[in-house]
Amino acid sequence: MREITVREIHEYFGYRMICGNDEALNRVVTEGDVNRPGLELSGYFELPYNRIVIIGEREIQYINTRMNEESQRRAFDYLTRDTIPFILISRDQPCPKILYDIAYAKNFPIFSSYAHTNSIIVELLSFLEEARGWMEIDAVRKGVSEDNRKLEFL
């Protein structure tokens, strides 16, 4: 089954890379969904997921007005763990310095887009759904080549 990498998404959409090097683009996207990290920014870390993280205008406002340095470090360390593919900041907003510093130390990819948060979410979900469809087709084809009897059910 074909994997979707951060590199493919970066090349397809042309997001501006803020942090991470070429090696960071090899991360694999394992979930076909995205997350807006409101709970994580407020300090709730009980629901682990492996989704692309979208930081919008409201999250940036919350970070800048409600989070102290310690709470930012805790949240950003969690949001840049190995299982998260990347963070995307909408509307070309500046990346919070603490987020950048933590991501830089981990070679974690952060991107920026001029688009509005909702547009980004719709486009990414469509891309991931289409990619998942192709992955399922590839799996069916592989199954057919391994066992011709499965062809009857296609």
Side-chain angles (χ1 to χ4, degrees):
M1 186 180 313
R2 187 173 85 79
E3 296 177 331
I4 301 300
T5 64
V6 172
R7 180 181 313 281
E8 289 177 77
I9 293 171
H10 173 59
E11 290 173 355
Y12 184 83
F13 289 104
Y15 298 137
R16 183 172 58 92
M17 193 166 194
I18 296 172
C19 188
N21 64 20
D22 191 63
E23 184 180 324
L25 297 175
N26 294 329
R27 288 173 168 263
V28 176
V29 177
T30 61
E31 288 191 28
D33 205 351
V34 299
N35 182 57
R36 292 188 71 178
L39 288 174
E40 294 83 359
L41 295 177
S42 69
Y44 185 78
F45 306 113
E46 301 300 318
L47 298 172
Y49 59 85
N50 303 320
R51 300 175 183 164
I52 295 166
V53 173
I54 310 294
I55 295 180
E57 197 170 34
R58 289 187 179 143
E59 287 86 1
I60 292 291
Q61 185 177 31
Y62 183 83
I63 292 164
N64 291 336
T65 62
R66 304 281 184 184
M67 295 181 74
N68 62 30
E69 183 176 330
E70 181 183 332
S71 62
Q72 285 186 43
R73 287 194 183 285
R74 221 175 24 254
F76 296 151
D77 186 57
Y78 183 78
L79 292 172
T80 57
R81 65 190 188 279
D82 288 340
T83 58
I84 303 295
F86 64 91
I87 292 175
L88 177 58
I89 301 173
S90 69
R91 300 183 80 165
D92 277 334
Q93 298 174 97
C95 179
K97 182 180 180 347
I98 294 172
L99 172 57
Y100 179 84
D101 291 345
I102 290 171
Y104 183 84
K106 295 179 176 185
N107 192 29
F108 183 89
I110 300 176
F111 299 98
S112 179
S113 172
Y114 67 88
H116 289 250
T117 307
N118 288 340
S119 298
I120 290 170
I121 290 170
V122 168
E123 290 173 351
L124 268 174
L125 291 177
S126 295
F127 177 87
L128 294 171
E129 181 67 27
E130 185 175 323
R132 185 171 58 199
W134 283 109
M135 290 189 309
E136 289 171 0
I137 289 170
D138 287 346
V140 169
R141 287 183 181 151
K142 183 177 184 225
V144 168
S145 67
E146 291 175 357
D147 185 353
N148 287 331
R149 291 176 293 162
K150 292 182 181 177
L151 187 59
E152 298 171 17
F153 300 105
L154 293 178

